[in-house]
Amino acid sequence: MKKILIVDDEPNIIMSLEYTFKKSNFEVFIARDGQEALDILQNETPDAIILDVMMPNVDGYATITEIKKDEKLQHCKIVFLSAKNKESDIEKGLSLGANAYMTKPFSIKKLVDKINELVEE
């Protein structure tokens, strides 16, 4: 079973993504900010991470920077999912090592397709 970590502070997005990925046979882990995500990643190694940029405590950019330092997480596919939609935001996310950057509002089908594509590589 593939594992996915969803990191977002919006309850509606968390609920929607959790439901969708469980239906797609993923084991789902939830974090509401970057620090919670980093805590989960000490014990779990997901195949993919969906990461919001703007969150309390530790934002998505700081979170991916920490993830990329951990050798056991190098294979994790990371997709930013954010309301920050300027070209500079997207470029920053990709330059920090994200495999993809999708903006909100988003198509859940496109997100699921992108995650499946990335974890099959």
Side-chain angles (χ1 to χ4, degrees), residues 29-46:
F29 299 92
I30 303 293
R32 286 165 183 78
D33 65 41
Q35 186 56 58
E36 198 174 320
L38 295 170
D39 292 345
I40 289 169
L41 291 169
Q42 289 181 359
N43 301 311
E44 295 295 337
T45 307

Side-chain angles (χ1 to χ4, degrees), residues 1 6 10 13 15 24 31 36-37 41 43 53 64 66 69 83 108 112 114 118:
M1 181 179 266
I6 298 165
E10 295 181 41
I13 289 178
M15 274 188 349
S24 299
E36 198 174 320
L41 291 169
N43 301 311
V53 173
I64 193 173
E66 289 303 309
K69 291 177 185 175
I108 207 152
V112 170
K114 177 52 82 176
L118 289 170

Side-chain angles (χ1 to χ4, degrees), residues 19-36:
Y19 173 79
T20 300
F21 281 99
K22 279 184 176 177
K23 253 181 42 181
S24 299
N25 294 317
F26 277 81
E27 183 178 357
V28 178
F29 299 92
I30 303 293
R32 286 165 183 78
D33 65 41
Q35 186 56 58
E36 198 174 320

